Amino acid sequence: MFAMLGMCALVIDAGSWYQQKRSLQSAADAGALAGAAYLPVSYAAAGTAATDEYAKNASGDTVTYRQATTFVANDSIVVAASRPASSFFANMFGHGSITVKATAEATVIQSGGGALPWGIMKGTYTPGTTYPIYTDNSGPNNGAIRLPAWDSNSGSCVDHGGTSLYSDEINGSEAACMLALQQVVRTDTGTNTGPTRQGVSDRCGTLQATSSIVTFTSLGGVTILQPSSCQLVLLPLVEGADTGAATWPKSGSEDVRVVGFSWWVISKVVSGGKQVDAVYIGPASTDPTSGGSLPPAYATQLTG
């Protein structure tokens, strides 16, 4: 009888503890994903979202969250939770309860493989309309911006600069670090005709017709036919960092501030790289939970 009671304690109590553990883990996962969605806004906003979402799925637990930096500051959040789990048969052997624990880590990433080193001045754009997104020799600033890239030696995001990085960020062989709202970056002055042509060519080869990638309806609807197309790119909307102006600085390299994101389809490289034309698709929401027909600027994923 004593042996049978021991087996009951093992089977029934362990099963109950397992269910408690799964419940705890699900709540922690949900909290981490909700929090990560707001990391580009601020870490405080991410913590609030994480705790609020956890409370929707469980109550009475001990919950903490902390920042977990990987590639850029504030890009990951860790939610740790614990709760006492009562025992049934095991209580007869002096084990009234145990503490079950769960940990979840979620990371926010830039959609579309990351933003390209071109900035779009804030303004009004019409879906389905073609605009020049890069124009060389139009002045000291031509639409190019300097995007920091991950440096494995220093373990941080670094502005390497140079035409090689610019071209590699276009073709995708070196991903830029994630851009956040209100982040300030420098404009990239100078002539980049060759690197622009080479970067787009290495990225896509021969460009397809825009109509094979995305379609537009008369009512303003948008349908993306090829979500993984190399021509579908995420570009930051920017303004003058000091003035808030919607015009490119007239002097040398200046600061611009990221105020949003939008989706475009590269349609043509003009004059060997002196100009790049793209068709405007629409805005990219900075809230991954907002829904809509277009992908958000940020996506979240469980990483631990």
Side-chain angles (χ1 to χ4, degrees):
M1 181 63 69
F2 187 83
M4 291 180 64
L5 287 174
M7 293 177 63
C8 288
L10 177 64
V11 174
I12 297 178
D13 288 344
S16 174
W17 295 335
Y18 175 78
Q19 292 298 325
Q20 293 291 320
K21 170 75 172 179
R22 292 308 308 157
S23 172
L24 200 68
Q25 187 65 60
S26 295
D29 289 346
L33 286 169
Y38 289 89
L39 283 169
V41 178
S42 72
Y43 184 65
T48 299
T51 53
D52 288 349
E53 182 63 27
Y54 190 97
K56 295 177 182 178
N57 295 277
S59 62
D61 300 331
T62 301
V63 184
T64 61
Y65 65 89
R66 63 179 173 82
Q67 179 181 348
T69 301
T70 52
F71 291 101
V72 294
N74 297 344
D75 71 341
S76 295
I77 187 171
V78 175
V79 174
S82 64
R83 74 169 60 145
S86 300
S87 63
F88 300 99
F89 285 97
N91 190 41
M92 299 173 58
F93 299 93
H95 300 286
S97 67
I98 67 167
T99 300
V100 293
K101 300 179 180 180
T103 302
E105 178 178 334
T107 300
V108 62
I109 59 174
Q110 205 97 57
S111 297
L116 268 62
W118 296 318
I120 304 297
M121 271 295 158
K122 66 178 183 180
T124 302
Y125 300 95
T126 303
T129 302
T130 301
Y131 299 90
I133 60 172
Y134 173 82
T135 307
D136 219 342
N137 297 328
S138 62
N141 292 293
N142 43 39
I145 56 177
R146 298 168 65 102
L147 295 186
W150 177 252
D151 180 68
S152 57
N153 294 323
S154 63
S156 61
C157 289
V158 177
D159 180 2
H160 297 288
T163 56
S164 176
L165 176 62
Y166 168 81
S167 182
D168 288 345
E169 287 180 339
I170 293 175
N171 66 37
S173 62
E174 183 158 7
C177 290
M178 188 183 71
L179 284 177
L181 286 175
Q182 302 305 312
Q183 183 173 338
V184 174
V185 295
R186 302 284 288 178
T187 59
D188 191 357
T189 60
T191 301
N192 287 311
T193 298
T196 298
R197 179 191 67 250
Q198 192 63 53
V200 175
S201 176
D202 291 344
R203 180 183 182 88
C204 294
T206 302
L207 298 179
Q208 299 181 34
T210 301
S211 59
S212 68
I213 300 170
V214 61
T215 59
F216 302 89
T217 68
S218 58
L219 299 178
V222 179
T223 300
I224 298 178
L225 304 176
Q226 296 188 47
S228 60
S229 171
C230 60
Q231 292 172 236
L232 179 64
V233 295
L234 180 72
L235 300 179
L237 297 171
V238 299
E239 66 179 10
D242 297 326
T243 64
T247 56
W248 288 102
K250 302 298 183 183
S251 57
S253 182
E254 298 284 348
D255 289 340
V256 291
R257 177 178 288 103
V258 177
V259 295
F261 297 90
S262 54
W263 289 104
W264 299 74
V265 172
I266 299 173
S267 59
K268 189 176 183 181
V269 177
V270 183
S271 301
K274 287 187 179 236
Q275 180 172 310
V276 177
D277 291 341
V279 176
Y280 176 68
I281 299 178
S285 171
T286 52
D287 180 359
T289 65
S290 64
S293 60
L294 297 179
Y298 303 108
T300 58
Q301 58 185 20
L302 289 172
T303 51

